[in-house]
Structure formats: structure tokens, C-alpha cells
Amino acid sequence: MTSTAPASLRKDARGQAPPFRRILVANRGEIAVRIIRACHELGVEAVAVFSDADAMADHVRTADEAVRVGPAPAQESYLRIDAMVEAAARTGAEAIHPGYGFLAERAEFARAVEEAGLVFIGPRSETIAALGDKLAARRGAANAGVPIVPGTLEPAAVDRPDDAAAIVAEAERIGFPLLVKAAAGGGGRGMRRVTTVEELPAALAAGSAEARSAFGDGSVYLEREIRPARHVEVQLIGDADGRVIALGERDCSLQRRHQKLVEESPAPGLDGEQRRALHAAAIRAAEAAGLVNAATVEFLLDPDGRFWFLEVNTRLQVEHGVTELVSGVDIVREQLWIAAGRALSREIVEAAGRAANPSRHAIEVRLSAEDPAREFVPSPGRIGRWAMPAGPGVRVDTGVGAGDRVPPDYDPLIAKLMVVDVDRRAAIARLARALDETVVTGIQTTLPFHRFVARHPRFAAGDLSIDWVEEEWTPAVERDRARALQAASWAAASAPVAGRERAADPAGQARPGSAWTSEGRARAVDRWPR
Amino acid sequence: MTRRVRVVPAPASLMPGDRSIVVAPDDPAEVVVEPFGDGRAVVHGPDGTDRWAYLGSANRLPDGRSVVEVVVDGWRFELELEDDHRATLRERATRARDASASTGPLEVRAAIPGRVAAVTVTHGDEIEAGATLLVVEAMKMQNELRAPRAGRVERVAIGAGETIEVGDVLVVIA
């Protein structure tokens, strides 16, 4: 395969040479496509990687060249550091963008890239290592004067019974309920909720064992459970000169099992002063860790309006698009320039100056191959129809389409539907409209949940909480599905099937003698202006 | 004569609480299904709601029933359609057969595709209802599969590390 961009076009709008000649995108799906798009806009060639499950995937077709890295299981393909570095070397890529997930927050990957003489498009490996240790990150934030969630700063002595009294005293100081969390953790693994002191020893042992098997590190610590709470995070970008700016915050409170479902920016209900304080705290936490390139600092917001530092994600976030829509900054493009050694652009510095007083509102929903009626269990399979929304203020990032197979091997996210408008109320109306245009058949998706959110008065009121899904969706899901089933049954019974027509006849064809009602056609005529 | 169709979610779509409904599509009724070609239709419900329905091709089963995919408001259903009169006759026959075979072996089949992360029972195990049989990993998540009833494990059809598809027999409980 050859480059799609002729040499004369390999420059950005200002006529500068591109940041790199060619980079490798060490990821798949929608985020690989999104990064490849940024590359092509900058005149950079993009090399994709793929497993056997993805040989025909969008990101492979979009790239200038593609390298097979292994069979379908991620452990044998997208999680192979050696294969990624080798693929970059073989194709002459100068840099590697890790996307999110897979190897994005593995310090040893960033180190291997650096040691191979290539550029890792993200924070330095030392920064990833320092912030990947949640306890080290907590200590760093606390030292920088950022309020951290009350709890411990050193690993709990899980294996030493003589220290049991000390840890119990510590737990009582923090207060119940509290959480046992893994220092190397993420995604809720190694996490245990403890409501009484009696439960503590077992929770420490279980959490530690789970953390050891998941991350190879059994260190756990204690944190007070802040509940109810909202999840609010700040998008940061830093350059090699040590300058770090905040591009605004996002509210990602609507979650299920620590997986975000809906994200928006700005976080509703904050005033300019609260925003400035929050952004400043995030910048302090990142500067303490020497952040270069993009990262996100996560906080919990309690009902009294106080922010508590949670952790730092040293990568591009899934939900970076809502920040791009509000700020007007292309974060991936900025990542490439910074990785190439350039200072923060004037545009991004100006955008950061406006971040405390945003003039637009963006919302993203994560359309996933999951069944929202069965506790969001994965529902991979082959996509039939695929209609994504369009029109003013709508952005769709995806890596699949009609007829594609969603493999069971990876994350179930299939598309990110984003809307932007002048304020939150308009953005919600636009979201509802966009979701009405969205059609996916062949697999169950989370679309019913998103439709529910977009029309919910509590969402419209900005009354968000990490318990929202449990409190609102769980009691409503059965009825929501039953109504759709009723309508689906009527539609199916009216179609020319059930023993009268040929099998495998396209169901919707209205033909003489079919069971479609003539009243329907009459009403259809009535509905439109003549 | 008015044709009556019985509609019931196929096993892949069936949830507790789902019931079959009988629809007489040719009746002049408050429900109007308005076709828009290419499998699309608007369902005008009795409560004044309009919902888009997207229908797939119907597949005829060997026993004469049809299965069709319908998506409404983002919910995907596989629905079995059968002439109501025929359904009544068939059910009578099935009940008679079930009465003699209610204690037969039970095949536990895969409800989701994925990779078998672990198998926690072996041939000959006596198990309680709800016991974990195996763990299926799909899309980064571990899903435990539990025994629908008590019994003895007669056969374990898969091993750890194997890839499974929907409908594959995993374990047989006697």
C-alpha cells in the first residue's frame, strides 16, 4: 500500500513540514481511525496494526500501511510490546501513538519505544510509571496541595497480622464505608467495599489477591467512599518546556461497573470560580509529575461542591472528543506536535484561557455492543443495518459499519456519538434528535439506554451521580423493553411471514396481497403536507 | 376468516416475564403498521405513539414457524411467528412429549460468544442449582455460567481456552 497524501501535500495549513513523516498507531477500532484521520490531516503517513480478527477492519483500510501483529486474543496481538516496536521499525515509523486501553498506560511499553529510538506519543515513561502507581499519585497530589480522597498513602500491611491493629485504627480514622483499592489498579479490579471493621481483614486479603492476579502487584490501600458523588475530570496538555494547561473539564458520572456510558463538557452546575479552582488543582497535580503531552486528572465531586483527587490517566481518553467540540482544539493533532518537540500552540493556550467560561456544551454517548436489559453483558456479532446520525452539531467516531463483525475479543465500544450546541439544554435536544436517527441491527447495543437518558428529566436537570444508572435505569429497563417488544410484535405479525409468504422474503416489502394494512398507507399520506 | 399470528421472543431474545402475544393483523384495529419499504415500518400504537421498526428477513424453521429480527427503539428482538391455530395444535403435542421426558439430560448452551477462561466442573460432579459451571471471557469481561438445575455433570463439551459461539453445547447435566 502507498500513502494517500502526495509529498506536496504533506504539510499542515501553515505550510510547515509535518511533525513526523510516518507513525504507527498501536491500537484498533474507532480510536485507531480517529488517530489516522489526524495523521492524514497533518500530512503524516499512518501505519495500522491488526490481529486476525481485524484483517478487514476500518482502521486497516484507512491506514497507509498495515502490519499483522498476531491472532485474535489481545494478549497475542495488541498487547505485544515487541510486535509493536518491531512493526514500527519494519515500516519506518518514527513514532508510536498508543491510543487508549491496551498498552497506552504501560510504562514498559513507553520505555521500549523510547529505547528503540522512537518517539512515544504520550507522557514520558517515568511519568506513566509514577502516576500508574495510584499511591504514588496520591502522595504527589497531596504534596502539591491538591485535596485527595481521605485514606492511606502507603500500602496496607496485608500479610502481617501484627499490624492488624494499626490498619483497623487507620480505617476507623478514615471512616466507614470505605474502599480497599489496588495501587496498580484500574477498572474496579482489586476493589472491595467495606462497611464495618469486621469485614476489613477479608476485604484486604481478597482485594490484594485479585490485584496480584490482575496486575502482578498485590499492594492495596484504603480510601473513604464518597457517595453520592459525581465523576469530574480535567483534560490537561503539557509541553517539553514544562508548561501545562487545562482544556476544561468533563462530567462522566453516568457509569456502570466503573465503565463510563455518557460524558459531557462542561460539567453542569459549576461556576467560573469553581472551574478555575478545579483546573488549577489538576494542573498542580500534573506539574508535580512532570507531565508532557496529554493526560486527564480525575476527581470526585461531593454534594457539598468539594473536589477530591482520584487519579491521573496518562493517555488520550475515550471521551476526549467532547473537549475538542467545546474548545475547538484537535487534541490528537496537538499530541503529535508536542511529541515532535513543539511548544503548546497559541490556539490551545487561548482555548485554555476560555476554559473556565465555556460558550458551548458537548455530550457524548458510548454506543457499545452490550445488552442494557441484561446488566450490560457483551453482545458481539455481525452488524446488519447501520445508520449513524448526521446534521448540524453531530460527530460520530467509529470503526465499524454495516456487515462488519464485532469480535468478542475486545472492548465492546462500537461508536461514540457526540453532539455540540450553544448550551446544555440545546445539546440534550440535539442528542435526542441524533439518537432518533441512529439504527443498528444484527446486534443489541446500548442505544435504548442512551435514548432513555436523553429524555430523562433528572438528566435534563443536571442531577448527575455515579449511582444514576442504578437508580434510574435499573427500575425502568423492563418496562422500556416491554413497550418496544409490543411494537416489535405488532410489526412482525403484520409482515408477510408466518406461513403465508415465501421464507426469507424481505419482510418490509409492501406488495399486493401482503399483510401490510391499507389504513397505514392512508395515514402515511395524511401525515405529510400536500 | 381472520388470520391470527402468535408472536413470541425466540430463545436468544427471551427474558423472564416475556409472554407470547396473538395479533390479528387484518383486523381493523387501533394499531396500524405503516410500511416504508426495505423492511422499515412505523408502528402507530393505540396510545398515540409512533415507533420505527426495522425488520430483517424471515427465516423459516423446519417446523413451519418463522423467525424474524425486529429492532424498535434500539431494542433488538428475534421473534418467532406462527399461525395461532397451528401453534395450539403443536403445543398440545409438545406438552404430551414433555410430560414423559421432563427428567432427561439438560444441555447447557452458550448464550454469548467468547473464550472459555475456566471450567470449574468435571465429568461426574454432583452439582447444586446455581453452581458455577464455567467462566466465559467476552470483551474483557468474565461471565460466570451457572447450573440451571441440580444434577450430575454427564459431559463437559469444551475446555479452557476454547472459543465458543452462541448455541454451542457446553455442559450436559443429567
Side-chain angles (χ1 to χ4, degrees), chain A residues 213-447:
Chain A
S213 84
F215 312 111
D217 175 1
S219 301
V220 291
Y221 62 100
L222 305 181
E223 227 178 58
R224 181 189 296 165
E225 181 184 52
I226 294 178
R227 213 160 175 170
R230 283 165 58 184
H231 176 113
V232 177
E233 59 185 31
V234 180
Q235 175 67 56
L236 300 176
I237 301 190
D239 64 19
D241 299 337
R243 185 171 192 188
V244 179
I245 55 97
L247 261 193
E249 79 286 347
R250 297 181 286 256
D251 189 306
C252 315
S253 298
L254 268 55
Q255 308 183 349
R256 167 96 206 170
R257 279 196 237 110
H258 308 284
Q259 297 293 318
K260 294 165 188 166
L261 298 168
V262 179
E263 301 103 340
E264 60 182 300
S265 181
L270 303 188
D271 60 31
E273 198 178 319
Q274 279 173 298
R275 283 208 171 88
R276 263 187 293 278
L278 173 67
H279 299 173
I283 290 171
R284 281 203 304 279
E287 278 177 342
L291 175 73
V292 179
N293 217 296
T296 294
V297 184
E298 298 189 336
F299 294 89
L300 289 176
L301 172 61
D302 73 18
D304 299 328
R306 286 174 301 185
F307 287 98
W308 304 94
F309 171 91
L310 212 49
E311 63 180 57
V312 185
N313 294 318
T314 51
R315 57 171 158 84
L316 186 66
Q317 298 275 93
V318 176
E319 59 272 22
H320 71 279
V322 291
T323 302
E324 294 183 322
L325 289 172
V326 172
S327 67
V329 170
D330 187 313
I331 294 174
V332 177
R333 195 183 287 180
E334 201 72 26
Q335 279 193 296
L336 263 68
W337 282 120
I338 288 167
R342 204 163 90 165
L344 289 167
S345 68
R346 188 167 49 81
E347 288 88 343
I348 199 170
V349 173
E350 284 173 5
R354 299 187 300 266
N357 294 297
S359 58
R360 307 214 285 176
H361 198 97
I363 307 174
E364 168 180 288
V365 302
R366 295 189 187 187
L367 195 64
S368 289
E370 293 176 336
D371 188 345
R374 298 170 211 250
E375 302 193 314
F376 294 82
V377 297
S379 51
R382 192 168 294 280
I383 296 169
R385 286 171 201 266
W386 178 263
M388 288 292 115
V394 175
R395 167 175 163 182
V396 178
D397 281 15
T398 183
V400 293
D404 283 349
R405 185 173 160 267
V406 179
D409 309 271
Y410 315 112
D411 190 281
L413 179 66
I414 52 173
K416 302 186 305 200
L417 314 186
M418 290 169 255
V419 295
V420 64
D421 214 320
V422 290
D423 58 22
R424 189 167 188 269
R425 181 196 292 258
I428 292 173
R430 183 161 272 177
L431 176 65
R433 183 273 289 176
L435 293 172
D436 279 345
E437 296 176 7
T438 306
V439 182
V440 181
T441 72
I443 56 170
Q444 180 62 55
T445 73
T446 49
L447 181 59

Side-chain angles (χ1 to χ4, degrees), chain A residues 432-470:
Chain A
R433 183 273 289 176
L435 293 172
D436 279 345
E437 296 176 7
T438 306
V439 182
V440 181
T441 72
I443 56 170
Q444 180 62 55
T445 73
T446 49
L447 181 59
F449 169 76
H450 299 307
R451 292 173 55 95
F452 176 81
V453 171
R455 286 177 171 77
H456 203 287
R458 185 176 163 195
F459 183 73
D463 180 8
L464 307 176
S465 158
I466 52 177
D467 299 315
W468 199 99
V469 177
E470 197 62 46

Side-chain angles (χ1 to χ4, degrees), chain A residues 257 385 408 410-412 439 442 444 448 451 480-481 489 493 497 500-501 503-504 507 515-516 520 523-524 527-528, chain B residues 3 13 15 18 21 25 32-34 36 38-39 44 54 56 58 60 69 73-76 81 115 138-141:
Chain A
R257 279 196 237 110
R385 286 171 201 266
Y410 315 112
D411 190 281
V439 182
Q444 180 62 55
R451 292 173 55 95
D480 193 89
R481 178 181 168 280
S489 300
V497 287
R500 280 206 176 168
E501 310 295 330
W516 295 111
R523 203 193 284 195
R527 282 167 67 227
W528 285 315
Chain B
R3 181 170 72 100
S13 293
M15 299 268 304
D18 287 348
I21 69 161
V32 175
V33 177
E34 177 189 334
F36 271 80
D38 191 30
H44 303 283
Y54 300 89
R60 178 75 61 79
E69 178 200 54
D73 289 351
W75 290 109
R76 176 181 182 271
L81 310 178
R115 189 171 300 273
M139 294 178 157
K140 298 197 305 185
M141 284 186 24

Side-chain angles (χ1 to χ4, degrees), chain B:
Chain B
M1 190 186 85
T2 301
R3 181 170 72 100
R4 296 167 70 82
V5 181
R6 185 177 299 193
V7 186
V8 61
S13 293
L14 194 66
M15 299 268 304
D18 287 348
R19 283 170 302 150
S20 64
I21 69 161
V22 177
V23 185
D26 299 333
D27 273 354
E30 61 273 39
V31 178
V32 175
V33 177
E34 177 189 334
F36 271 80
D38 191 30
R40 293 167 300 193
V42 175
V43 179
H44 303 283
D47 54 354
T49 55
D50 295 336
R51 294 169 198 272
W52 279 99
Y54 300 89
L55 288 91
S57 309
N59 286 321
R60 178 75 61 79
L61 299 179
D63 62 7
R65 287 178 294 167
S66 294
V67 179
V68 64
E69 178 200 54
V70 189
V71 173
V72 171
D73 289 351
W75 290 109
R76 176 181 182 271
F77 305 101
E78 287 175 22
L79 300 176
E80 291 177 358
L81 310 178
E82 188 173 22
D83 181 271
D84 188 42
H85 180 63
R86 229 186 140 275
T88 310
L89 295 175
R90 191 179 50 77
E91 276 176 1
R92 209 174 289 155
T94 310
R95 262 200 303 276
R97 195 187 63 212
D98 280 0
S100 62
S102 61
T103 54
L106 173 74
E107 290 181 340
V108 179
R109 291 172 181 271
I112 54 170
R115 189 171 300 273
V116 177
V119 180
T120 49
V121 292
T122 52
H123 176 88
D125 284 0
E126 293 289 341
I127 52 166
E128 298 293 321
T132 301
L133 299 174
L134 48 97
V135 181
V136 179
E137 192 173 275
M139 294 178 157
K140 298 197 305 185
M141 284 186 24
Q142 307 248 317
N143 302 278
E144 289 188 356
L145 185 74
R146 296 174 184 284
R149 65 162 167 84
R152 189 175 47 77
V153 176
E154 191 172 88
R155 190 159 77 89
V156 178
I158 39 76
E162 285 181 40
T163 302
I164 54 169
E165 292 295 333
V166 173
D168 284 356
V169 175
L170 306 174
V171 176
V172 180
I173 300 170

